[in-house]
Amino acid sequence: MTEHSKIDVKRDSAASLFERADASFGLDAFGSTAVPRDLPEAPRPAPRAKPTKSRVSTAQATVSEPSASSAAPEEIAIEPSVDPAVVFSGASVAIDRELLREGGLIVPGEPVTGLLEEFRIVKRELLADARASGDEMARRILVCSPHPGEGKTYCAANLAIALAAEHDVEVVLVDADVLNPSVTKRLGIEDGPGLMDALADPAIRPETLVQRTDIDGLCVLPAGSRNARDAEYLSSRHTGEVLDRLMRGAPNRYFIFDTPPALAASPAAELAGHVGQALLIVRADETSQAALEDARQLLSACPDIKLLLNAAQFSPSGRRFGDYGEKGE
């Protein structure tokens, strides 16, 4: 699970996961964006503009002389057009709860755990930044790691499940690790056509490939068929068109992309240009600062890169989530 890194005990014990990871790896030293303690509140929506009205005169005149009177003008209200939300029409699938439990993932509907509380903190910072920016690209979140085995798919799946629990939020967990797809295996659902099929064939409607799960608010887009031109497809303009279509008319729809490790394959770097936030997963006591810096450079097309320390076992503050309600304090 995501716990706390080995940070100086003199530092603020209420520091967030991102701040503690930053303290351990010194991300500021090479230009990353620090996550502020007090995140800005989401801007209030602007008041809806009144319908534009145009006046249409119905007065008529004869050739010889003007009419003595004219009819009252008719008012026509012009409502602003709104694109309807694209509806996902792929297969409906059931998530294997027992497999989630065995894999150490969040199980919806079960008692609150420390793991769930940790990912609530992570999602809250991601949501705050997305809502504050007002840019739909910020609702596309890439999850990556420098090397294999650092927990990127584990974190991507937990983050997607935690986000889906938000009121009026829809999450699409996208398996973008075409070289080693594992999202469907983690969730215990059937694999099938997915992202790469939509990118390779413009005739395919991508919404027909998105699978709806029995976890309210959670959908899955499998990796699809492997292709020798995976990286080229991901860097193409068509990728942006596919993602724009899937987000059309749905301001509360978020995408979580599980990508290959940045230092092991190129798809993560290619996809970074199509997202607004990236979550770089590093494993406590294993990931080197040099690897972290190299991975960050490869993802530099993304304007906002955050750091998440995974598998930490030590917390100087002694903070433990998930047992407050059990003790009845």
Side-chain angles (χ1 to χ4, degrees), residues 2 17-18 21 27 35 118-119 121-123 125-126 129 140-146 151-160 163 255-260 262 268 272 275-282 292 295 299 302 304-309:
T2 56
L17 293 174
F18 297 129
L27 199 58
V35 179
E118 291 278 9
F119 276 97
I121 293 175
V122 176
K123 76 170 180 179
E125 298 198 32
L126 294 168
D129 284 354
R140 303 176 188 175
I141 303 166
L142 182 150
V143 179
C144 186
S145 62
K152 64 175 185 62
T153 303
Y154 172 82
C155 290
N158 277 321
L159 178 59
L163 268 173
F255 285 75
I256 306 295
F257 297 89
D258 176 38
T259 69
V275 302
Q277 297 189 75
L279 195 59
L280 190 55
I281 311 300
V282 294
L292 177 61
L299 300 178
C302 175
D304 184 4
I305 302 175
K306 296 178 172 67
L307 185 68
L308 180 62
L309 186 65

